[in-house]
Coordinates of all heavy atoms in Angstrom, one line a residue:
L1 N -172.8 239.7 -61.5 CA -173.3 238.6 -60.7 C -173.2 237.3 -61.4 O -173.5 237.1 -62.5 CB -174.8 238.9 -60.3 CG -175.4 237.9 -59.3 CD1 -174.8 238.0 -58.0 CD2 -176.9 238.3 -59.2
I2 N -172.6 236.3 -60.7 CA -172.4 235.0 -61.2 C -173.8 234.3 -61.3 O -174.6 234.3 -60.4 CB -171.5 234.2 -60.4 CG1 -170.1 234.8 -60.3 CG2 -171.4 232.7 -60.9 CD1 -169.2 234.1 -59.3
R3 N -174.0 233.7 -62.5 CA -175.3 232.9 -62.6 C -174.9 231.4 -62.4 O -174.1 230.8 -63.2 CB -175.8 233.1 -64.0 CG -176.2 234.5 -64.3 CD -177.5 234.8 -63.6 NE -177.9 236.2 -63.9 CZ -178.5 237.0 -63.0 NH1 -178.9 236.5 -61.9 NH2 -178.8 238.2 -63.3
Q4 N -175.6 230.8 -61.4 CA -175.3 229.4 -61.1 C -175.5 228.5 -62.2 O -174.7 227.6 -62.4 CB -176.1 229.0 -59.9 CG -175.9 227.6 -59.4 CD -176.8 227.3 -58.2 OE1 -177.6 228.1 -57.8 NE2 -176.7 226.1 -57.8
Q5 N -176.5 228.6 -63.0 CA -176.8 227.7 -64.1 C -175.7 227.6 -65.1 O -175.5 226.6 -65.7 CB -178.2 227.9 -64.7 CG -178.3 229.3 -65.4 CD -178.8 230.4 -64.4 OE1 -178.7 230.3 -63.2 NE2 -179.3 231.5 -65.0
K6 N -174.9 228.6 -65.3 CA -173.8 228.6 -66.3 C -172.7 227.7 -65.9 O -172.0 227.2 -66.7 CB -173.3 230.0 -66.5 CG -174.2 231.0 -67.2 CD -173.4 232.3 -67.4 CE -174.3 233.3 -68.1 NZ -173.6 234.5 -68.2
Y7 N -172.6 227.4 -64.6 CA -171.5 226.7 -64.1 C -171.8 225.3 -63.5 O -171.0 224.6 -63.0 CB -170.7 227.5 -63.0 CG -170.3 228.8 -63.6 CD1 -171.0 230.0 -63.3 CD2 -169.2 228.9 -64.4 CE1 -170.6 231.2 -63.8 CE2 -168.8 230.1 -65.0 CZ -169.6 231.3 -64.7 OH -169.2 232.4 -65.2
S8 N -173.1 224.9 -63.5 CA -173.5 223.7 -62.9 C -173.0 222.4 -63.6 O -173.0 221.4 -63.0 CB -175.0 223.6 -62.8 OG -175.6 223.7 -64.1
D9 N -172.5 222.6 -64.8 CA -172.0 221.4 -65.6 C -170.5 221.2 -65.4 O -169.9 220.2 -65.9 CB -172.3 221.5 -67.0 CG -171.7 222.7 -67.7 OD1 -171.4 223.6 -67.0 OD2 -171.6 222.7 -69.0
L10 N -169.8 222.0 -64.6 CA -168.4 221.8 -64.3 C -168.2 220.7 -63.3 O -168.9 220.6 -62.4 CB -167.8 223.1 -63.8 CG -167.8 224.3 -64.7 CD1 -167.3 225.6 -64.0 CD2 -167.0 224.1 -65.9
N11 N -167.1 219.9 -63.6 CA -166.8 218.8 -62.6 C -166.2 219.4 -61.4 O -166.4 218.9 -60.3 CB -165.9 217.8 -63.3 CG -166.6 217.0 -64.4 OD1 -167.8 216.8 -64.3 ND2 -165.9 216.6 -65.4
T12 N -165.3 220.3 -61.5 CA -164.6 220.9 -60.4 C -164.1 222.3 -60.7 O -164.0 222.7 -61.9 CB -163.4 220.0 -60.0 OG1 -162.8 220.5 -58.8 CG2 -162.3 220.0 -61.1
I13 N -163.9 223.1 -59.7 CA -163.4 224.5 -59.8 C -162.3 224.6 -58.7 O -162.5 224.2 -57.6 CB -164.5 225.5 -59.5 CG1 -165.7 225.4 -60.5 CG2 -164.0 226.9 -59.5 CD1 -166.9 226.2 -60.2
G14 N -161.2 225.1 -59.1 CA -160.1 225.3 -58.2 C -159.9 226.8 -57.9 O -159.9 227.6 -58.8
L15 N -159.6 227.1 -56.6 CA -159.3 228.5 -56.2 C -158.0 228.6 -55.4 O -157.7 227.7 -54.6 CB -160.5 229.0 -55.3 CG -161.9 229.1 -55.9 CD1 -162.8 229.5 -54.8 CD2 -161.9 230.1 -57.0
I16 N -157.3 229.6 -55.7 CA -156.1 229.9 -54.8 C -156.7 230.6 -53.6 O -157.4 231.6 -53.7 CB -155.1 230.8 -55.6 CG1 -154.6 230.1 -56.8 CG2 -154.0 231.2 -54.7 CD1 -153.7 230.9 -57.7
G17 N -156.3 230.2 -52.4 CA -156.7 230.8 -51.2 C -156.6 229.9 -50.1 O -156.4 228.7 -50.2
S18 N -156.8 230.4 -48.9 CA -156.8 229.5 -47.7 C -158.1 228.9 -47.4 O -159.1 229.3 -47.9 CB -156.4 230.4 -46.5 OG -157.5 231.3 -46.2
A19 N -158.0 227.8 -46.6 CA -159.3 227.1 -46.2 C -160.2 228.1 -45.4 O -161.4 228.0 -45.6 CB -158.9 225.9 -45.3
T20 N -159.6 229.0 -44.6 CA -160.4 229.9 -43.9 C -161.1 230.9 -44.8 O -162.3 231.2 -44.6 CB -159.5 230.7 -42.9 OG1 -158.8 229.8 -42.1 CG2 -160.2 231.7 -42.1
K21 N -160.4 231.4 -45.8 CA -161.0 232.3 -46.8 C -162.1 231.6 -47.5 O -163.2 232.2 -47.8 CB -159.9 232.9 -47.7 CG -160.5 234.0 -48.6 CD -159.3 234.6 -49.4 CE -158.6 235.5 -48.5 NZ -157.6 236.4 -49.2
W22 N -161.9 230.3 -47.9 CA -162.9 229.6 -48.6 C -164.2 229.4 -47.8 O -165.3 229.5 -48.2 CB -162.4 228.2 -49.1 CG -163.5 227.4 -49.6 CD1 -163.8 226.1 -49.2 CD2 -164.4 227.7 -50.7 NE1 -164.8 225.6 -49.9 CE2 -165.3 226.6 -50.8 CE3 -164.6 228.8 -51.5 CZ2 -166.3 226.5 -51.7 CZ3 -165.7 228.7 -52.4 CH2 -166.5 227.6 -52.5
A23 N -164.0 229.1 -46.5 CA -165.1 228.9 -45.6 C -166.0 230.2 -45.6 O -167.3 230.1 -45.6 CB -164.7 228.6 -44.2
S24 N -165.4 231.4 -45.5 CA -166.1 232.6 -45.6 C -166.8 232.8 -46.9 O -168.0 233.2 -47.0 CB -165.2 233.8 -45.3 OG -165.8 235.0 -45.5
F25 N -166.1 232.6 -48.0 CA -166.6 232.7 -49.3 C -167.8 231.7 -49.6 O -168.8 232.1 -50.1 CB -165.5 232.5 -50.3 CG -165.9 232.9 -51.7 CD1 -166.4 234.2 -52.0 CD2 -165.6 232.1 -52.8 CE1 -166.7 234.5 -53.3 CE2 -165.9 232.4 -54.1 CZ -166.4 233.7 -54.4
R26 N -167.6 230.5 -49.1 CA -168.6 229.5 -49.2 C -169.9 229.9 -48.5 O -171.0 229.7 -49.1 CB -168.1 228.1 -48.7 CG -169.1 227.0 -48.8 CD -168.5 225.7 -48.1 NE -169.5 224.7 -48.0 CZ -169.6 223.7 -48.9 NH1 -168.9 223.6 -49.9 NH2 -170.6 222.8 -48.7
S27 N -169.8 230.4 -47.4 CA -171.0 230.9 -46.6 C -171.7 231.9 -47.4 O -173.0 231.9 -47.5 CB -170.5 231.4 -45.2 OG -171.6 231.9 -44.5
R28 N -171.0 232.9 -48.0 CA -171.7 233.9 -48.8 C -172.4 233.3 -50.0 O -173.5 233.8 -50.4 CB -170.7 235.0 -49.2 CG -170.2 235.8 -48.0 CD -169.5 237.1 -48.4 NE -168.6 236.8 -49.6 CZ -167.3 237.2 -49.6 NH1 -166.7 237.7 -48.5 NH2 -166.5 236.9 -50.6
L29 N -171.7 232.4 -50.6 CA -172.3 231.7 -51.8 C -173.6 231.0 -51.5 O -174.6 231.0 -52.2 CB -171.3 230.9 -52.6 CG -170.2 231.6 -53.3 CD1 -169.1 230.6 -53.8 CD2 -170.7 232.5 -54.4
L30 N -173.6 230.3 -50.3 CA -174.8 229.6 -49.9 C -175.9 230.6 -49.7 O -177.1 230.3 -50.1 CB -174.5 228.8 -48.6 CG -173.7 227.5 -48.8 CD1 -173.2 227.0 -47.4 CD2 -174.5 226.4 -49.5
T31 N -175.6 231.7 -49.1 CA -176.6 232.7 -48.9 C -177.2 233.3 -50.2 O -178.3 233.6 -50.3 CB -176.0 233.9 -48.1 OG1 -175.5 233.4 -46.8 CG2 -177.0 235.0 -47.8
M32 N -176.3 233.3 -51.2 CA -176.7 233.7 -52.6 C -177.5 232.7 -53.3 O -178.1 233.0 -54.4 CB -175.5 234.1 -53.4 CG -174.8 235.4 -52.9 SD -173.2 235.6 -53.8 CE -173.7 235.8 -55.4
G33 N -177.6 231.5 -52.8 CA -178.5 230.5 -53.4 C -177.7 229.3 -54.1 O -178.4 228.5 -54.7
F34 N -176.4 229.3 -54.0 CA -175.7 228.2 -54.6 C -175.9 226.9 -53.7 O -176.0 227.0 -52.5 CB -174.2 228.5 -54.7 CG -173.8 229.4 -55.8 CD1 -174.0 230.8 -55.6 CD2 -173.4 228.9 -57.0 CE1 -173.7 231.6 -56.7 CE2 -173.0 229.8 -58.0 CZ -173.2 231.1 -57.9
S35 N -176.0 225.8 -54.3 CA -176.3 224.5 -53.6 C -175.0 224.0 -53.0 O -173.9 224.3 -53.4 CB -176.9 223.5 -54.5 OG -175.9 223.0 -55.4
R36 N -175.1 223.3 -51.9 CA -174.0 222.6 -51.2 C -173.3 221.7 -52.2 O -172.1 221.6 -52.2 CB -174.4 221.9 -50.0 CG -174.9 222.8 -48.9 CD -175.2 222.0 -47.6 NE -175.8 222.9 -46.6 CZ -175.2 223.7 -45.8 NH1 -173.9 223.7 -45.8 NH2 -175.8 224.4 -44.9
A37 N -174.1 221.0 -53.0 CA -173.5 220.0 -54.0 C -172.6 220.8 -55.0 O -171.5 220.3 -55.3 CB -174.6 219.3 -54.8
D38 N -173.0 221.9 -55.5 CA -172.2 222.7 -56.4 C -170.9 223.2 -55.7 O -169.8 223.2 -56.3 CB -173.0 223.9 -57.0 CG -173.9 223.5 -58.1 OD1 -173.7 222.4 -58.7 OD2 -174.8 224.2 -58.4
L39 N -171.1 223.7 -54.5 CA -169.9 224.2 -53.8 C -169.0 223.1 -53.3 O -167.8 223.4 -53.2 CB -170.4 225.0 -52.6 CG -171.2 226.3 -52.9 CD1 -171.6 227.0 -51.7 CD2 -170.4 227.2 -53.9
D40 N -169.4 221.9 -53.2 CA -168.6 220.8 -52.9 C -167.6 220.4 -54.1 O -166.6 219.7 -53.9 CB -169.4 219.5 -52.5 CG -170.0 219.6 -51.2 OD1 -169.6 220.5 -50.4 OD2 -170.9 218.8 -50.9
K41 N -167.9 221.0 -55.3 CA -167.1 220.8 -56.4 C -165.8 221.7 -56.4 O -164.9 221.6 -57.2 CB -167.8 221.1 -57.7 CG -169.0 220.2 -58.0 CD -169.7 220.6 -59.2 CE -170.9 219.7 -59.5 NZ -171.6 220.1 -60.8
V42 N -165.8 222.7 -55.5 CA -164.8 223.6 -55.4 C -163.6 223.1 -54.5 O -163.9 222.6 -53.4 CB -165.2 225.0 -54.8 CG1 -164.1 226.0 -54.6 CG2 -166.4 225.6 -55.7
K43 N -162.4 223.2 -55.1 CA -161.2 222.8 -54.3 C -160.5 224.0 -53.9 O -160.0 224.8 -54.8 CB -160.3 221.8 -55.1 CG -159.1 221.4 -54.3 CD -158.3 220.4 -55.0 CE -157.1 220.1 -54.1 NZ -156.3 219.0 -54.7
C44 N -160.3 224.3 -52.7 CA -159.6 225.5 -52.2 C -158.9 225.1 -50.9 O -159.6 224.7 -50.0 CB -160.6 226.6 -52.0 SG -159.8 228.2 -51.5
P45 N -157.6 225.3 -50.8 CA -156.7 225.8 -51.8 C -156.4 224.7 -52.9 O -156.5 223.5 -52.6 CB -155.5 226.1 -51.0 CG -155.5 225.3 -49.8 CD -156.9 225.0 -49.5
I46 N -156.1 225.1 -54.0 CA -155.7 224.2 -55.1 C -154.3 223.8 -54.9 O -153.5 224.4 -54.2 CB -155.8 224.9 -56.5 CG1 -155.0 226.2 -56.6 CG2 -157.3 225.1 -56.8 CD1 -155.0 226.8 -58.0
G47 N -153.9 222.7 -55.6 CA -152.6 222.1 -55.5 C -152.4 221.1 -54.5 O -153.3 220.7 -53.7
L48 N -151.2 220.5 -54.5 CA -150.8 219.5 -53.5 C -150.4 220.2 -52.2 O -149.5 221.0 -52.2 CB -149.7 218.6 -54.0 CG -150.1 217.7 -55.2 CD1 -148.8 216.9 -55.7 CD2 -151.2 216.7 -54.8
P49 N -150.9 219.8 -51.0 CA -150.5 220.4 -49.8 C -149.1 220.2 -49.4 O -148.5 220.9 -48.7 CB -151.5 219.7 -48.7 CG -152.3 218.8 -49.4 CD -152.0 218.8 -50.9
S50 N -148.5 219.1 -50.0 CA -147.1 218.8 -49.7 C -146.1 219.7 -50.4 O -144.9 219.8 -50.0 CB -146.8 217.4 -50.0 OG -147.0 217.1 -51.4
I51 N -146.6 220.5 -51.4 CA -145.7 221.4 -52.1 C -146.0 222.8 -51.6 O -147.1 223.3 -51.8 CB -145.9 221.3 -53.7 CG1 -145.6 219.9 -54.2 CG2 -145.1 222.4 -54.4 CD1 -145.8 219.7 -55.7
K52 N -145.1 223.3 -50.8 CA -145.4 224.6 -50.1 C -144.8 225.8 -50.9 O -143.8 225.6 -51.5 CB -144.7 224.6 -48.7 CG -145.1 223.3 -47.9 CD -146.2 223.6 -47.0 CE -146.5 222.5 -46.1 NZ -147.9 222.1 -46.1
G53 N -145.4 226.9 -50.7 CA -144.8 228.2 -51.3 C -145.9 229.0 -52.0 O -146.9 228.5 -52.4
K54 N -145.6 230.3 -52.0 CA -146.6 231.3 -52.6 C -146.1 231.9 -53.9 O -146.8 232.7 -54.5 CB -146.9 232.4 -51.6 CG -147.6 231.9 -50.4 CD -148.0 233.0 -49.5 CE -148.8 232.4 -48.3 NZ -149.2 233.4 -47.4
D55 N -144.9 231.5 -54.3 CA -144.4 232.0 -55.6 C -145.2 231.4 -56.7 O -145.6 230.2 -56.7 CB -142.9 231.5 -55.8 CG -142.3 232.0 -57.0 OD1 -142.0 233.2 -57.1 OD2 -142.1 231.2 -58.0
P56 N -145.6 232.2 -57.7 CA -146.4 231.7 -58.8 C -145.9 230.4 -59.5 O -146.7 229.5 -59.8 CB -146.4 232.8 -59.8 CG -146.2 234.1 -59.0 CD -145.3 233.6 -57.9
A57 N -144.6 230.2 -59.6 CA -144.1 229.0 -60.2 C -144.3 227.8 -59.3 O -144.6 226.7 -59.8 CB -142.6 229.2 -60.5
V58 N -144.2 228.0 -58.0 CA -144.4 226.9 -57.1 C -145.9 226.5 -57.1 O -146.3 225.3 -57.1 CB -144.0 227.3 -55.7 CG1 -144.3 226.2 -54.7 CG2 -142.5 227.6 -55.6
I59 N -146.8 227.5 -57.1 CA -148.2 227.2 -57.1 C -148.6 226.5 -58.4 O -149.3 225.5 -58.4 CB -149.0 228.5 -57.0 CG1 -148.9 229.1 -55.6 CG2 -150.5 228.3 -57.3 CD1 -149.4 230.6 -55.5
A60 N -148.0 226.9 -59.5 CA -148.3 226.3 -60.8 C -147.8 224.8 -60.8 O -148.6 223.9 -61.2 CB -147.6 227.0 -62.0
L61 N -146.6 224.6 -60.3 CA -146.1 223.2 -60.2 C -147.0 222.4 -59.3 O -147.3 221.2 -59.7 CB -144.7 223.2 -59.6 CG -144.1 221.9 -59.4 CD1 -143.9 221.2 -60.7 CD2 -142.7 222.0 -58.7
S62 N -147.4 222.9 -58.2 CA -148.3 222.2 -57.3 C -149.7 221.8 -57.9 O -150.2 220.7 -57.8 CB -148.5 223.0 -56.0 OG -149.4 222.4 -55.1
V63 N -150.2 222.8 -58.7 CA -151.5 222.5 -59.3 C -151.4 221.5 -60.4 O -152.2 220.6 -60.5 CB -152.1 223.9 -59.9 CG1 -153.3 223.6 -60.8 CG2 -152.4 224.8 -58.8
V64 N -150.3 221.6 -61.2 CA -150.1 220.6 -62.3 C -149.9 219.2 -61.7 O -150.4 218.2 -62.2 CB -149.0 221.0 -63.2 CG1 -148.6 219.9 -64.2 CG2 -149.3 222.3 -64.0
A65 N -149.1 219.1 -60.6 CA -148.8 217.9 -60.0 C -150.1 217.2 -59.5 O -150.4 216.1 -59.6 CB -147.8 218.0 -58.9
D66 N -151.0 218.1 -58.9 CA -152.2 217.6 -58.3 C -153.1 217.1 -59.5 O -153.7 216.1 -59.4 CB -152.9 218.7 -57.5 CG -154.1 218.3 -56.8 OD1 -154.3 217.1 -56.5 OD2 -154.9 219.2 -56.4
W67 N -153.2 217.9 -60.5 CA -154.0 217.5 -61.7 C -153.5 216.2 -62.3 O -154.4 215.3 -62.6 CB -154.0 218.7 -62.7 CG -154.8 218.4 -63.9 CD1 -156.2 218.5 -64.0 CD2 -154.4 218.0 -65.2 NE1 -156.6 218.1 -65.3 CE2 -155.5 217.8 -66.0 CE3 -153.1 217.7 -65.7 CZ2 -155.4 217.4 -67.3 CZ3 -153.0 217.3 -67.1 CH2 -154.1 217.2 -67.8
L68 N -152.2 216.1 -62.5 CA -151.7 214.9 -63.0 C -152.0 213.7 -62.2 O -152.3 212.6 -62.6 CB -150.2 215.0 -63.3 CG -149.8 215.9 -64.5 CD1 -148.3 216.1 -64.5 CD2 -150.3 215.3 -65.8
S69 N -151.8 213.8 -60.8 CA -152.1 212.7 -59.9 C -153.6 212.3 -60.0 O -153.9 211.1 -59.8 CB -151.6 213.0 -58.5 OG -152.4 214.0 -57.9
S70 N -154.5 213.3 -60.2 CA -155.9 212.9 -60.2 C -156.2 212.2 -61.5 O -157.1 211.4 -61.6 CB -156.7 214.2 -60.1 OG -156.7 215.0 -61.2
K71 N -155.5 212.5 -62.6 CA -155.7 211.9 -63.9 C -155.2 210.4 -63.9 O -155.8 209.6 -64.6 CB -155.0 212.6 -65.0 CG -155.6 214.0 -65.2 CD -157.0 213.9 -65.7 CE -157.7 215.3 -65.8 NZ -159.1 215.2 -65.9
S72 N -154.3 210.1 -63.1 CA -153.7 208.7 -63.0 C -154.5 207.8 -62.1 O -154.3 206.6 -62.1 CB -152.3 208.7 -62.6 OG -152.1 209.2 -61.3
S73 N -155.4 208.4 -61.3 CA -156.2 207.6 -60.4 C -157.4 207.0 -61.0 O -158.0 207.4 -62.0 CB -156.7 208.5 -59.3 OG -155.7 209.1 -58.6

């Protein structure tokens, strides 16, 4: 079981998955006692939406591009 207090100091968490899958997962986490503020730190799906594909290399490129663009802002 995940302990919320261990992860409350994270700035963001990224997950591979669809927005629909995240909505379902988010609902379950709220029921388990996670706060909306903590769950708002989760980005799902990760990566840039303009880079399409499910190949691991494409996902990695999309995630790195998204991370780099957030660092330059």
Side-chain angles (χ1 to χ4, degrees):
L1 184 62
I2 297 172
R3 298 281 180 214
Q4 180 180 0
Q5 61 272 20
K6 288 183 182 179
Y7 304 101
S8 62
D9 61 340
L10 296 175
N11 291 330
T12 188
I13 299 171
L15 298 175
I16 296 173
S18 67
T20 302
K21 188 172 282 189
W22 171 238
S24 172
F25 192 50
R26 179 183 172 95
S27 177
R28 290 193 320 234
L29 290 171
L30 285 169
T31 302
M32 292 172 59
F34 285 81
S35 73
R36 291 184 189 278
D38 281 340
L39 296 180
D40 286 344
K41 296 178 182 179
V42 176
K43 179 174 182 175
C44 183
I46 56 173
L48 292 176
S50 59
I51 301 177
K52 309 265 187 231
K54 294 186 178 182
D55 182 73
V58 174
I59 293 169
L61 176 66
S62 176
V63 170
V64 169
D66 189 18
W67 181 76
L68 288 172
S69 69
S70 72
K71 294 298 176 192
S72 65
S73 304

